[in-house]
Amino acid sequence: MRNLGWLIVLILAGCGGSIELVSTRPTSEITIDGSDADWQNDRMIVKDSKVALGFHNDDEFLYVSITPTDRRQGMHLMMMGMTIWFDPTVSKKKSFGIKFPLGLAAYGLTPMMIPMGEGKRPKEDPFENISKDFLNELEIIGPGPYDRVRLELKDLKNIAVKLKNTKDGVFYELKIPLK
């Protein structure tokens, strides 16, 4: 089998530039289950962004892991959602995106609904008692500027995504077809 070795150009909001990462073939099977066990030695912390990233590919799929290294950034991701953009032409156009999670804001929930304790910290895990419905849908965006389709994760055939809120923060995994 050939090694595809994808070049990933990543533009992170607030990072003031872009970075380049090379995707490699995974050394073991990657299971999209919200566990970082498949990624322990295969992530890098992106300087000044408070996020750790990992990328792999095989002949059929691109695998992505994202771990905010700051708990507040993980909470922001849960509230506002996150879109990962893909551009096969490397022209920095937003031609195809996957928004997951959609964010609690997409369901009418706001930060004011999170019970806060002393020192303005959540009394308990703010997502533990909130409906997990927002983790069961994603949006596929593009290729046109107004093309958006919301799908339930159970209906996806070639895309797998999982986000898990752990005691250490948020862990995100995505698998998308290369074609």
Side-chain angles (χ1 to χ4, degrees), residues 12-15 44-53 66-74:
L12 293 170
C15 144
M44 69 172 281
I45 295 177
V46 179
K47 184 181 174 187
D48 300 328
S49 73
K50 297 181 182 177
V51 68
L53 300 171
I66 302 172
T67 308
T69 58
D70 177 346
R71 186 126 176 107
R72 286 175 291 176
Q73 190 175 18

Side-chain angles (χ1 to χ4, degrees), residues 97-172:
I98 294 180
K99 183 169 185 175
F100 180 84
L102 299 178
L104 295 174
Y107 294 93
L109 299 170
T110 67
M112 301 304 282
M113 294 176 177
I114 296 174
M116 301 302 269
E118 296 176 24
K120 295 191 177 187
R121 295 178 57 105
K123 288 182 181 176
E124 66 267 342
D125 182 344
F127 306 108
E128 188 172 0
N129 298 320
I130 296 173
S131 170
K132 299 295 187 218
D133 289 344
F134 75 102
L135 292 177
N136 292 323
E137 296 181 311
L138 63 71
E139 277 186 350
I140 297 178
I141 305 167
Y146 303 106
D147 295 340
R148 287 182 177 260
V149 176
R150 188 178 285 193
L151 299 168
E152 290 189 30
L153 298 185
K154 66 180 178 66
D155 295 332
L156 299 174
K157 296 195 181 359
N158 292 319
I159 297 173
V161 64
K162 184 77 172 184
L163 184 138
K164 198 171 214 177
N165 192 32
T166 69
K167 65 179 174 64
D168 298 321
V170 173
F171 182 73
Y172 179 103

Side-chain angles (χ1 to χ4, degrees), residues 57-96:
N57 67 275
D58 56 24
D59 292 333
E60 298 179 63
F61 296 97
L62 175 66
Y63 303 88
V64 179
S65 80
I66 302 172
T67 308
T69 58
D70 177 346
R71 186 126 176 107
R72 286 175 291 176
Q73 190 175 18
M75 288 179 68
H76 181 76
L77 183 148
M78 298 289 270
M79 282 305 299
M80 303 309 295
M82 179 174 67
T83 303
I84 298 179
W85 291 100
F86 300 92
D87 176 22
T89 65
V90 193
S91 64
K92 296 184 181 177
K93 288 184 179 178
K94 294 178 178 178
S95 59
F96 167 73

